[in-house]
Amino acid sequence: MRKIWWKILCIVIIFYVIVMGLMGPVPHLAIINESIRNTYFHVALWLAMTTLLFASMIFSIRYLNKGRIGDDDIASELAKSAIFFGILGCLTGSIWANYTWGDPWPNDPKLNGAAVGILIYLAYLLLRSSFEDEQRKARISSVYNIFAFAVFIPIIYILPRLTDSLHPGSGGNSTFGSYDFNSDIRKVFYPAIIGYILLGLWLAELRIRIKVINRVRDEALVTSAKVS
């Protein structure tokens, strides 16, 4: 029970977010109207993605420091979960943009930065697939992962604030929290972030287990081939 409590919590939170996200009370605002419910999905997904990418970077640093292949496994699978959330965030954001701004992908610095950020991490996955030697793959991709996160944060969170942008909190626009993040929103938004992070960890854990099983199987096959 101790090992699965957080998975049960994840299921409960996600169920709560879906129900309250679709049916719970929200502020009634001009233009945005009911689409503000996408805050629980689009915004929360991106914040969860950023958290997972940060954790991925930390495990890449740990690998370079200690050389344990398990740390690289964790780093790569956390990055994959984050990329999955990033793609979902782009899709939900495009739907929201089409409703609010009349264009699913306007020429906006934050949207363009999001696309660049996703491409940076897709290149990380491509880089990993380019090597067969595990240690070499882990070393090079760990270095790339660290620099990728260092580039990703300015592209997504800093540069849009320095130029004109349609997004709240960017280009002189007010943030959501300054005028419509009331208690009803917070009761769902913050649990949504926690739920998505737990879901991302769950997905990463499953893929790490598969990696470990495949590695043990391959080692057993090599050993048996040497013996025979």
Side-chain angles (χ1 to χ4, degrees):
M1 184 66 181
R2 293 179 180 177
K3 295 182 179 180
I4 67 170
W5 68 267
W6 61 274
K7 298 176 183 177
I8 297 174
L9 178 63
C10 173
I11 294 172
V12 171
I13 292 176
I14 295 297
F15 181 77
Y16 166 79
V17 170
I18 293 174
V19 172
M20 293 299 293
L22 298 176
M23 302 175 61
V26 293
H28 296 286
L29 302 172
I31 302 177
I32 297 177
N33 299 312
E34 289 290 316
S35 71
I36 195 174
R37 296 180 186 277
N38 207 4
T39 304
Y40 308 137
F41 306 102
H42 170 64
V43 181
L45 278 169
W46 271 84
L47 291 176
M49 174 200 68
T50 304
T51 303
L52 293 172
L53 289 177
F54 176 75
S56 175
M57 179 197 67
I58 294 300
F59 278 97
S60 287
I61 294 174
R62 286 187 59 177
Y63 171 79
L64 292 175
N65 185 37
K66 299 183 179 180
R68 296 186 302 204
I69 196 65
D71 288 333
D72 179 66
D73 289 342
I74 296 173
S76 63
E77 297 309 326
L78 286 175
K80 289 177 183 177
S81 294
I83 293 170
F84 174 63
F85 284 171
I87 294 172
L88 291 180
C90 285
L91 293 175
T92 53
S94 293
I95 295 172
W96 200 356
N98 190 53
Y99 178 84
T100 305
W101 302 324
D103 189 342
W105 200 280
N107 187 21
D108 181 80
K110 197 155 192 172
L111 288 171
N112 295 335
V116 172
I118 294 295
L119 290 175
I120 288 173
Y121 277 96
L122 288 176
Y124 166 74
L125 300 183
L126 182 62
L127 176 66
R128 293 186 62 84
S129 66
S130 302
F131 299 96
E132 294 185 1
D133 181 73
E134 282 196 343
Q135 294 296 338
R136 186 182 182 192
K137 173 172 63 178
R139 285 195 303 271
I140 295 176
S141 60
S142 292
V143 173
Y144 181 95
N145 193 22
I146 295 168
F147 282 99
F149 187 79
V151 173
F152 179 80
I153 293 300
I155 288 176
I156 299 298
Y157 296 106
I158 298 177
L159 293 180
R161 292 179 178 272
L162 303 178
T163 185
D164 292 333
S165 176
L166 296 170
H167 273 78
S170 303
N173 295 332
S174 300
T175 61
F176 271 140
S178 65
Y179 62 90
D180 59 16
F181 238 48
N182 63 15
S183 59
D184 291 329
I185 293 286
R186 291 187 176 92
K187 289 176 183 177
V188 184
F189 178 70
Y190 295 126
I193 298 173
I194 296 172
Y196 296 143
I197 291 173
L198 292 177
L199 180 60
L201 294 175
W202 194 350
L203 294 173
E205 183 198 42
L206 291 174
R207 291 189 57 86
I208 290 169
R209 287 184 177 183
I210 294 173
K211 273 190 173 182
V212 172
I213 292 172
N214 290 336
R215 186 175 293 124
V216 172
R217 182 200 61 189
D218 292 342
E219 290 175 354
L221 291 174
V222 171
T223 302
S224 63
K226 290 180 178 179
V227 172
S228 59

